[in-house]
Amino acid sequence: MTIAPSRSLADLCRADFPILARQVHDCPLIYFDNAATSQKPLAVLNTLEDYYRRYNANVHRGIHTLSAEATTAYEGAREKVARFINAAYPEEIIYTRNASEAINLVAYSWGMNTLREGDDIILTVMEHHSNLIPWQFVAQRTGARLKFVELTPEQTFDLNHYESLLSDRTRLVAVAHVSNTLGCLNPIPEIVRLAHAKGARVLVDACQSVPHFPIDVQQLGCDWLVASGHKMCAPTGIGFLWGRAELLRQMPPFLGGGEMIADVFLDHATYADIPHRFEAGTPAIAEAIALGAAVDYLSQWGMERIHAYEQELTAYLFERLQEFPEVTLYGPKSGDRAALASFTVTGVHPHDLSTMLDQSGIAIRAGHHCTQPLHRYLDVQSTARASLYFYNTRAEIDQFIAALGEAIAFFREVLA
């Protein structure tokens, strides 16, 4: 009796993503730019359409049926996100446009009102610009100092260097959970333990972790965590900030307007409790509800299952990339790491490489990936990046490697 091979996670879910069936330059699309944004399943697309077709109304402000339905779905999505990351209370989830806005919320509400001249903010050389520039603003306006954790020889977070930077003047540590360029998984619980021992707060940029493996904010121990919906199968224009309830309640509003108030007088106002004090104006209602649908979709497959499958794909991707002596890989080459590979090809600009691969229907990223300081640290102007998600397959990796080999051969001949 012949036993049929077990179907991979990608085989089971690919039909849920209609865009993956399209052709690009008369070639089947191979989408390897998931660290920039993920594709959206039908469950999310249908949720968006359902809101606008059936119960489009503003939330919280009306007592009619449509408004009640919209409010129930909107707040229900908040509860789904809270469960997804094991927040203690749904009120700890603040909807934002994206992770960048979430970090700015903390920077302006907490940072500008708390930090003083001589205080230290510890970041890393691998931070995305979104977790760097807001703290530059804070440092410029408050006199706080920025310090940066460097890398180990394996291009991972240097815990020893981090410990040497900590002092009684450390007030904040802001760090990526997973580097969007190096793919390294940073030791957040240990980072938090050491920071809290100095009385410092910790913000975690989880844009590259929340979509890919289980997150438990209570186990991580951090004070704030941010993520973007569009990287986790949800629409653009929606993200979230998680923060400890007692800390969020100490923070003043970030934006003023409707919805974030309790009582308004001509010369002053009082503010609503969390989460609404940080959600001024009409929110991205459909997008928030669709974020809840994305959480449902990911939970349906299971984050541990998604992570395990991506680990298999990543190991295979690195194995195949190392077949080319012209390829230099960045970040750790093995172990528990993100499903992405940043690399350069000797003598070939990443933009030229990306353009040629696109002619074969393969979408990768090329540039500095919003980590210019890291690229300077690595002494490389830009890199190519292939990033995977659970709907990608080994067969797609094989096609990518074949197209990459053809591109390398072409440029070798041109440059000879």
Side-chain angles (χ1 to χ4, degrees), residues 47 71 83 111 275 280 325 339 345:
T47 296
T71 299
R83 287 194 298 271
V345 175

Side-chain angles (χ1 to χ4, degrees), residues 190-240:
E190 184 66 3
I191 291 170
V192 170
R193 185 186 69 80
L194 293 169
H196 283 178
K198 297 293 186 181
R201 300 291 187 183
V202 180
L203 180 145
V204 174
D205 173 0
C207 285
Q208 300 295 339
S209 58
V210 167
H212 299 284
F213 54 83
I215 296 296
D216 184 330
V217 292
Q218 298 188 61
Q219 286 187 359
L220 291 176
C222 54
D223 299 289
W224 301 282
L225 180 141
V226 306
S228 276
H230 72 93
K231 297 181 190 291
M232 53 185 288
C233 295
T236 57
I238 189 70
F240 66 88

Side-chain angles (χ1 to χ4, degrees), residues 94-113 115 128-141 172 174 203-205 207 224-228 239-242 248 251-255 278:
I94 312 298
Y95 288 131
T96 60
R97 288 184 304 157
N98 44 50
S100 298
E101 184 176 275
I103 294 170
N104 274 274
L105 191 163
V106 177
Y108 280 86
S109 176
W110 180 85
M112 294 292 191
N113 292 287
L115 299 176
H128 190 283
H129 297 165
S130 292
N131 197 31
L132 172 61
I133 294 172
W135 304 115
Q136 291 178 350
F137 290 163
V138 170
Q140 290 162 5
R141 297 189 188 183
L172 174 73
L203 180 145
V204 174
D205 173 0
C207 285
W224 301 282
L225 180 141
V226 306
S228 276
F240 66 88
L241 164 70
W242 168 82
L248 291 174
M251 294 164 52
F254 171 45
L255 297 172
F278 296 114

Side-chain angles (χ1 to χ4, degrees), residues 152-393:
T152 66
E154 295 75 31
Q155 296 178 346
T156 62
F157 183 93
D158 190 332
L159 195 59
N160 291 330
H161 186 228
Y162 169 61
E163 288 191 72
S164 74
L165 295 179
L166 287 166
S167 74
D168 292 338
R169 299 301 303 170
T170 305
R171 295 290 179 266
L172 174 73
V173 177
V175 61
H177 197 174
V178 172
S179 167
N180 73 316
T181 298
L182 300 173
C184 57
L185 174 64
N186 293 328
I188 299 300
E190 184 66 3
I191 291 170
V192 170
R193 185 186 69 80
L194 293 169
H196 283 178
K198 297 293 186 181
R201 300 291 187 183
V202 180
L203 180 145
V204 174
D205 173 0
C207 285
Q208 300 295 339
S209 58
V210 167
H212 299 284
F213 54 83
I215 296 296
D216 184 330
V217 292
Q218 298 188 61
Q219 286 187 359
L220 291 176
C222 54
D223 299 289
W224 301 282
L225 180 141
V226 306
S228 276
H230 72 93
K231 297 181 190 291
M232 53 185 288
C233 295
T236 57
I238 189 70
F240 66 88
L241 164 70
W242 168 82
R244 299 187 181 281
E246 66 275 13
L247 183 54
L248 291 174
R249 287 192 169 103
Q250 296 168 14
M251 294 164 52
F254 171 45
L255 297 172
E259 198 65 31
M260 46 73 67
I261 50 83
D263 290 297
V264 178
F265 304 89
L266 289 178
D267 59 351
H268 70 282
T270 58
Y271 306 120
D273 194 9
I274 60 171
H276 303 299
R277 74 164 56 188
F278 296 114
E279 295 178 5
T282 297
I285 302 169
E287 289 80 2
I289 296 170
L291 173 61
V295 165
D296 286 341
Y297 184 80
L298 294 173
S299 299
Q300 163 195 322
W301 296 112
M303 295 309 298
E304 290 186 357
R305 184 181 185 186
I306 287 172
H307 181 54
Y309 178 66
E310 288 183 0
Q311 288 291 286
E312 294 177 13
L313 284 183
T314 305
Y316 186 61
L317 175 63
F318 271 76
E319 176 187 327
R320 296 302 313 272
L321 281 170
Q322 291 178 88
E323 295 174 5
F324 299 107
E326 302 92 342
V327 168
T328 299
L329 288 161
Y330 297 90
K333 311 302 185 292
S334 60
D336 196 2
R337 52 154 297 124
L340 63 87
S342 293
F343 62 97
T344 53
V345 175
T346 303
V348 182
H349 195 285
H351 288 173
D352 295 333
L353 185 65
S354 178
T355 299
M356 178 158 283
L357 290 173
D358 180 63
Q359 298 304 306
S360 299
I362 301 171
I364 68 166
R365 204 70 165 179
H368 52 67
H369 320 307
C370 293
T371 57
Q372 279 186 307
L374 174 61
H375 279 74
R376 292 192 187 96
Y377 181 90
L378 298 171
D379 195 26
V380 58
Q381 183 180 27
S382 59
T383 55
R385 184 184 69 191
S387 52
L388 312 177
Y389 209 8
F390 62 97
Y391 43 64
N392 292 127
T393 67

Side-chain angles (χ1 to χ4, degrees), residues 7-30:
R7 300 177 70 194
S8 72
L9 179 55
D11 293 330
L12 295 171
C13 76
R14 279 181 70 86
D16 296 335
F17 295 85
I19 195 172
L20 298 179
R22 74 163 286 185
Q23 301 263 315
V24 175
H25 301 299
D26 296 323
C27 299
L29 170 66
I30 295 177

